Amino acid sequence: MGRKTWDSIPPRFRPLKDRMNVVITREVPRGSWTMDPERTIAGSMDDALNAVGMTVLDRRAFVIGGAQIYKEALAKAETKRILLTRVLTDFECDTFFPIQLNEDGKAEGWERKTKEELDRWVGETVPEGVQEENGTKYVFEMWERTW
């Protein structure tokens, strides 16, 4: 995750439990990363992947934002899937996901997978259909790279 994403997580929820938390920031020189008990801090996406690879081995790595971090991750051949929470409620905002994943399931270089495929990949039953929390409607989707 990027530094702003890390900062947006309320301190009582940091670090995110049961996972390695890696924060990518310009405050660390590219080509380096450091670890502390709360998080690993990396100077670039490649440094973050190196840090994860050295400590996590065969686990999955997830990117949780922000926009620049998503853009860098999507440019990597290693990025095979997108687990998308499609927010159906309109908000005024200034940051957007860097690629267009259409509601009709079509996108250049990407294909939306079925609910069953999503459940199988994550290893649990994901809520189906439109969900709502505090007046915000959303659906869970999984997309796979087609090229």
Side-chain angles (χ1 to χ4, degrees):
M1 73 186 87
R3 186 202 41 85
K4 290 180 185 176
T5 299
W6 172 263
D7 289 345
S8 75
I9 301 168
R12 70 182 183 275
F13 297 119
R14 296 189 316 222
L16 299 174
K17 292 182 182 181
D18 301 323
R19 66 201 84 189
M20 179 181 184
N21 288 247
V22 181
V23 179
I24 301 171
T25 177
R26 291 183 193 102
E27 295 170 13
V28 174
R30 285 190 174 266
S32 67
W33 55 274
T34 60
M35 297 178 93
D36 69 37
E38 194 170 68
R39 67 191 175 266
T40 297
I41 303 170
S44 70
M45 176 65 68
D46 287 335
D47 299 334
L49 293 172
N50 286 334
V52 168
M54 291 179 179
T55 60
V56 177
L57 301 176
D58 59 356
R59 291 187 191 168
R60 297 172 178 165
F62 293 85
V63 175
I64 64 170
Q68 175 131 0
I69 303 301
Y70 285 135
K71 186 175 180 179
E72 282 188 58
L74 290 165
K76 299 225 164 273
E78 296 89 348
T79 302
K80 306 276 190 241
R81 282 175 198 81
I82 297 170
L83 299 179
L84 178 73
T85 303
R86 181 181 299 280
V87 178
L88 304 174
T89 306
D90 287 333
F91 289 94
E92 191 171 317
C93 57
D94 62 359
T95 304
F96 301 90
F97 197 66
I99 61 172
Q100 183 69 36
L101 299 171
N102 299 315
E103 288 186 49
D104 66 2
K106 298 182 192 302
E108 186 175 335
W110 295 90
E111 175 183 41
R112 187 170 58 201
K113 306 310 275 183
T114 67
K115 159 91 167 72
E116 293 74 27
E117 290 168 305
L118 170 60
D119 289 348
R120 190 170 36 256
W121 194 81
V122 299
E124 62 184 74
T125 302
V126 176
E128 186 172 12
V130 177
Q131 307 297 305
E132 186 170 348
E133 188 174 328
N134 299 323
T136 301
K137 294 182 179 185
Y138 57 93
V139 294
F140 297 115
E141 300 176 1
M142 181 172 76
W143 293 73
E144 283 189 358
R145 193 176 291 244
T146 59
W147 46 273

